[in-house]
Amino acid sequence: MDINWRAVLTGFVVAVILGLFLSWVYPPAETTGLGLALPGLVGGFVAGYMVSGIEQGAVHGGLATVVGALAVLAILVVVGILFVGLVPAIGGSIVALVALFMMAIPGAIAGAVGGWLKNRSETRSGAATSR
């Protein structure tokens, strides 16, 4: 299976920008679960829409969500080690890794929807031009 890293990177950038915007607009204490999941869902959808097909979209959407979460996790672990200490930072990173794999599921589902929509729009535009 070929991975379109441009789609994965684009989905990651979209998720990071949307996450930064949402954290700027809504305080973390007032953010709901959907507000926390929205950047991953949108990033996965964008990555899935950049490729065609449900399977490719699911893989790319899940990868965009996981790659984005891994990058954020790496930064948070380094900051945690610097300011909290080694043991609490490692303990927190283990919990975060479990959450990371749980975040891949909604990203993959959103990517599958994005790939399906692109495949569907390509089919319709192909049918319209053949008339």
Side-chain angles (χ1 to χ4, degrees):
M1 174 179 295
D2 293 328
I3 302 296
N4 184 349
W5 289 106
R6 176 176 276 172
V8 172
L9 183 64
T10 303
F12 163 67
V13 169
V14 166
V16 167
I17 290 172
L18 186 60
L20 289 173
F21 176 73
L22 286 177
S23 67
W24 180 63
V25 172
Y26 296 107
E30 296 179 13
T31 306
T32 62
L34 180 62
L36 293 173
L38 188 65
L41 290 172
V42 173
F45 178 82
V46 168
Y49 194 80
M50 289 184 70
V51 297
S52 185
I54 295 173
E55 180 183 337
Q56 290 286 333
V59 168
H60 286 79
L63 273 176
T65 306
V66 168
V67 167
L70 272 176
V72 171
L73 177 62
I75 293 169
L76 290 177
V77 166
V78 170
V79 169
I81 289 172
L82 291 174
F83 293 107
V84 177
L86 184 63
V87 174
I90 298 298
S93 65
I94 291 171
V95 171
L97 279 174
V98 172
L100 181 136
F101 289 115
M102 295 304 288
M103 289 172 17
I105 295 169
I109 292 171
V113 170
W116 175 74
L117 282 176
K118 181 172 184 187
N119 196 20
R120 186 171 179 219
S121 67
E122 286 176 351
T123 304
R124 284 190 175 186
S125 66
T129 58
S130 65
R131 289 182 186 180

